[in-house]
């Protein structure tokens, strides 16, 4: 089996997605970051992609700077994006964003790549991204998806 470029853990909340992430992260080759909530923050709630778009148009240098400034100075929620602020220098993140194609896909991938720190397979776990599978499949065609479901047993 060919090694995927990315792994995404999606599905129901409280279904074991964190445990699966922790197990995958035991591998020398895999780094799955926590919930980016980039595309969705629930079935009817937009994710950080919407907030970043409101901060600036990444296709321009000034817009890309505004998005990075927003992440590093104005963003108040989002544990994963807080991890980015604490672990990646702002100028380094900006430089890497400016060198990319400046799409939403590249912003998400840049954050996952920073977390992966050189590991071959990167990914993330946001259960609500189950609502955005078509976008993730389009953006990352070589990715693998783990769909977690919560089953309740009644006796």
């Amino acid at each position: 089996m060919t090694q995927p470029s990315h792994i995404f853990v999606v599905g129901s909340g409280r279904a074991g997605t964190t445990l699966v992430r922790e197990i995958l992260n035991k591998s020398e080759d895999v780094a799955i970051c926590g919930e980016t909530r980039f595309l969705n923050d629930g079935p009817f709630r937009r994710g950080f992609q919407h907030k970043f778009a409101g901060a600036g148009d990444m296709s321009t240098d000034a817009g890309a700077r505004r998005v990075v400034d927003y992440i590093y100075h104005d963003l108040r929620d989002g544990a994963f994006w807080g991890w980015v602020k604490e672990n990646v220098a702002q100028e380094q993140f900006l430089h890497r964003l400016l060198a990319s194609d400046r799409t939403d896909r590249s912003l998400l991938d840049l954050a996952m790549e920073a977390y992966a720190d050189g590991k071959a397979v990167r990914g993330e776990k946001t259960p609500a991204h189950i609502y955005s599978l078509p976008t993730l499949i389009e953006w990352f065609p070589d990715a693998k998806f783990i769909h977690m479901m919560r089953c309740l047993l009644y006796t």
Side-chain angles (χ1 to χ4, degrees):
M1 183 168 119
T2 305
Q3 182 170 307
S5 60
H6 297 77
I7 297 173
F8 293 92
V9 182
V10 300
S12 303
R14 313 280 313 150
T17 57
T18 299
L19 177 61
V20 168
R21 174 184 173 246
E22 289 174 5
I23 291 168
L24 290 170
N25 280 342
K26 297 289 183 190
S27 168
E28 297 176 354
D29 299 323
V30 178
I32 308 297
C33 68
E35 296 184 26
T36 66
R37 298 177 2 219
F38 190 75
L39 295 166
N40 293 90
D41 191 19
F44 303 107
R45 294 191 307 249
R46 292 188 244 183
F48 286 102
Q49 175 189 31
H50 175 71
K51 292 179 182 185
F52 299 154
D57 176 3
M58 290 187 296
S59 67
T60 68
D61 287 2
R65 286 182 193 285
R66 282 193 298 275
V67 169
V68 172
D69 282 344
Y70 178 78
I71 292 169
Y72 280 80
H73 301 290
D74 299 322
L75 189 60
R76 297 289 177 238
D77 52 356
F80 173 73
W81 298 100
W83 178 92
V84 169
K85 290 192 290 194
E86 292 173 11
N87 292 279
V88 182
Q90 182 175 350
E91 283 304 313
Q92 178 188 10
F93 196 80
L94 175 62
H95 175 74
R96 292 171 72 190
L97 179 60
L98 291 173
S100 75
D101 65 2
R102 301 180 192 193
T103 60
D104 289 336
R105 179 212 182 276
S106 62
L107 178 60
L108 175 60
D109 199 31
L110 175 61
M112 290 187 296
E113 182 180 40
Y115 184 84
D117 195 28
K119 290 190 177 185
V121 180
R122 58 188 171 261
E124 68 97 56
K125 95 131 185 131
T126 298
H129 281 169
I130 190 68
Y131 301 105
S132 297
L133 277 182
T135 299
L136 289 172
I137 291 168
E138 178 185 336
W139 286 359
F140 305 98
D142 298 327
K144 298 294 182 194
F145 297 87
I146 300 173
H147 180 191
M148 302 292 297
M149 296 175 63
R150 184 173 184 189
C151 298
L152 301 175
L153 300 176
Y154 296 98
T155 56

